[in-house]
């Protein structure tokens, strides 16, 4: 006479001798468990019991649980079916058989496995740079789930330790972002949830660009800053704050600002200050608007000669640097004229 214990799939995993001790079978929460009891004599009296009392005595059902039924595929089978197994079903079950000779019993211990489920996780949190942060992730499951934390960065590495509590000492701006908690056991796929950590820090100027401009043209100065919360920008000329007026236009978006001069004049050239501020601090950068000097066109190289100055204007005359009228005469022409005078030509 023997008892067969089956997993929810219905495949026998072992044959249990009535003379042996308790055997274990494992079922996942929500599945159906079948505890098979097969007798060798159809005249035997059989009963199922658990820690709460009698479940079945013969074909009489004593349990009020609608999930529990007898399963008989043939006259010698006296199996117990438990549908939608839950954790409170876990425990010892006894198949008791009264034969003509002596009573025999065998026990099976039903183990109910529960998929991991995160029951509590920290809410999204905002802290100042340098603060200590503790994140909490608690989960239920059977076996006890293993908790791991991961910072969702491009590297995505898992953080050291397998604890419900993740402690970050002196948090930096690089440690802001989403943190993933994963609860896992061998029952089913892991349960995963995320918490967002925002790290506030004072502004830092990341780029400030001076510029050169031509009088009468348009020119811009640009300033960028990194900060959380996003910084507010102000522009100054000397100690005077600049507003969008009188040909000046200020445009600021999250993290950057520009000062545009629509029509540059001589008075616009000089030093400017970009100021970025949030509730944690203030920083600034100096920028310069330079005057662009146009290149000069060099004078062509003249042939070596002698310059003769005349008071009158006339064809072929050119104005010198000092404003006088000059005529460039080559040396060969002077020599030819002198020779002509000497020879009275």
């Amino acid at each position: 006479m023997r008892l067969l214990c089956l997993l929810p799939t219905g495949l026998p995993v072992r044959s249990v001798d009535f003379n042996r001790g308790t055997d274990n079978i494992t079922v996942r929460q929500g599945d159906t468990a079948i505890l098979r009891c097969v007798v060798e004599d159809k005249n035997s009296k059989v009963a199922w019991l658990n820690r709460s009392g009698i479940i079945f005595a013969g074909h009489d059902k004593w349990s009020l649980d609608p999930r529990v039924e007898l399963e008989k595929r043939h006259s010698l089978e006296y199996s117990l079916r438990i549908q939608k197994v839950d954790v409170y079903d876990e425990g010892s079950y006894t198949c008791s058989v009264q034969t003509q000779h002596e009573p025999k019993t065998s026990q099976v211990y039903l183990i109910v496995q529960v998929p991991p489920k995160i029951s509590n996780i920290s809410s999204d949190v905002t802290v100042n740079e340098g603060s200590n942060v503790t994140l909490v992730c608690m989960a239920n499951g059977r076996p006890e789930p293993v908790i791991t934390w991961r910072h969702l960065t491009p590297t995505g590495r898992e953080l050291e330790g397998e604890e419900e509590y993740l402690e970050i000492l002196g948090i930096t701006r690089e440690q802001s972002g989403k943190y993933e908690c994963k609860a896992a056991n061998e029952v089913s796929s892991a349960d995963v949830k995320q918490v967002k950590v925002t790290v506030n820090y004072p502004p830092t100027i990341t780029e400030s660009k001076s510029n050169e401009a031509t009088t009468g043209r348009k020119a811009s100065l640009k300033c960028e800053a990194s900060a959380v919360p996003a910084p507010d920008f102000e522009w100054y000329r000397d100690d005077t704050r600049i507003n969008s007026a009188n040909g000046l236009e200020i445009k600021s978006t999250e993290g950057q600002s520009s000062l545009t001069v629509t029509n540059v004049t001589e008075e616009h050239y000089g030093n400017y200050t970009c100021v970025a501020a949030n509730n944690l601090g203030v920083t600034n950068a100096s920028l310069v608007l330079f005057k662009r000097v146009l290149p000069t066109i060099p004078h062509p190289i003249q042939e070596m000669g002698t310059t003769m100055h005349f008071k009158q204007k006339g064809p072929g005359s050119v104005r010198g640097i000092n404003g006088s009228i000059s005529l460039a005469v080559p040396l060969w022409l002077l020599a030819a004229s002198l020779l002509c005078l000497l020879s009275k030509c």
Side-chain angles (χ1 to χ4, degrees), residues 82-131:
I82 307 173
Q83 297 178 338
K84 297 180 180 178
V85 172
D86 210 336
V87 291
Y88 49 78
D89 295 316
E90 184 169 293
S92 179
Y93 291 78
T94 301
C95 179
S96 178
V97 179
Q98 179 66 50
T99 67
Q100 295 178 353
H101 304 287
E102 59 179 343
K104 293 184 178 181
T105 62
S106 182
Q107 287 186 336
V108 176
Y109 194 90
L110 179 64
I111 299 172
V112 180
Q113 289 187 331
V114 180
K117 181 69 176 178
I118 295 175
S119 57
N120 182 28
I121 189 169
S122 297
S123 302
D124 292 347
V125 61
T126 299
V127 297
N128 292 340
E129 190 172 36
S131 302

Side-chain angles (χ1 to χ4, degrees), residues 33-230:
I34 300 177
L35 310 181
R36 297 204 182 276
C37 183
V38 179
V39 298
E40 296 178 355
D41 184 358
K42 63 181 180 179
N43 295 321
S44 300
K45 296 180 180 180
V46 189
W48 274 104
L49 308 90
N50 65 4
R51 62 187 181 279
S52 301
I54 300 174
I55 304 173
F56 274 94
H59 292 86
D60 297 330
K61 183 177 180 180
W62 288 43
S63 173
L64 298 177
D65 192 338
R67 302 174 303 123
V68 180
E69 300 174 348
L70 278 180
E71 181 170 299
K72 292 180 65 67
R73 298 184 180 181
H74 51 81
S75 60
L76 298 180
E77 182 178 6
Y78 193 76
S79 300
L80 184 67
R81 174 190 291 269
I82 307 173
Q83 297 178 338
K84 297 180 180 178
V85 172
D86 210 336
V87 291
Y88 49 78
D89 295 316
E90 184 169 293
S92 179
Y93 291 78
T94 301
C95 179
S96 178
V97 179
Q98 179 66 50
T99 67
Q100 295 178 353
H101 304 287
E102 59 179 343
K104 293 184 178 181
T105 62
S106 182
Q107 287 186 336
V108 176
Y109 194 90
L110 179 64
I111 299 172
V112 180
Q113 289 187 331
V114 180
K117 181 69 176 178
I118 295 175
S119 57
N120 182 28
I121 189 169
S122 297
S123 302
D124 292 347
V125 61
T126 299
V127 297
N128 292 340
E129 190 172 36
S131 302
N132 298 333
V133 179
T134 301
L135 302 179
V136 180
C137 180
M138 305 186 74
N140 300 319
R142 305 177 101 186
E144 188 74 20
V146 174
I147 303 249
T148 54
W149 285 94
R150 189 162 64 101
H151 187 198
L152 298 182
T153 62
T155 57
R157 67 181 183 87
E158 289 190 357
L159 304 177
E160 294 182 1
E162 298 175 350
E163 301 290 342
E164 295 176 342
Y165 297 92
L166 174 65
E167 292 188 356
I168 307 173
L169 302 179
I171 193 167
T172 64
R173 64 193 69 180
E174 291 78 18
Q175 292 174 301
S176 65
K178 292 183 178 181
Y179 285 79
E180 178 185 89
C181 171
K182 181 172 71 173
N185 61 18
E186 67 268 22
V187 180
S188 66
S189 57
D191 190 22
V192 177
K193 289 188 178 180
Q194 296 177 357
V195 55
K196 182 179 179 181
V197 178
T198 302
V199 179
N200 291 335
Y201 58 92
T204 302
I205 299 293
T206 56
E207 183 177 357
S208 58
K209 197 170 184 179
S210 298
N211 199 1
E212 62 176 358
T214 304
T215 303
R217 298 292 182 88
K218 183 177 180 180
S220 295
L221 298 174
K222 294 182 180 180
C223 177
E224 294 185 8
S226 173
V228 177

Side-chain angles (χ1 to χ4, degrees), residues 216-289:
R217 298 292 182 88
K218 183 177 180 180
S220 295
L221 298 174
K222 294 182 180 180
C223 177
E224 294 185 8
S226 173
V228 177
D232 295 321
F233 289 93
E234 294 178 354
W235 288 86
Y236 289 83
R237 178 75 187 273
D238 298 326
D239 294 329
T240 304
R241 182 177 175 180
I242 300 173
N243 296 312
S244 292
N246 302 322
L248 300 176
E249 183 181 11
I250 296 175
K251 288 185 178 180
S252 297
T253 58
E254 186 172 345
Q256 61 182 1
S257 181
S258 65
L259 170 65
T260 301
V261 183
T262 56
N263 185 16
V264 176
T265 64
E266 291 290 337
E267 66 179 14
H268 290 128
Y269 296 118
N271 295 323
Y272 293 81
T273 301
C274 169
V275 177
N278 65 9
N279 58 345
L280 296 179
V282 180
T283 189
N284 64 77
S286 295
L287 303 90
V288 180
L289 184 63

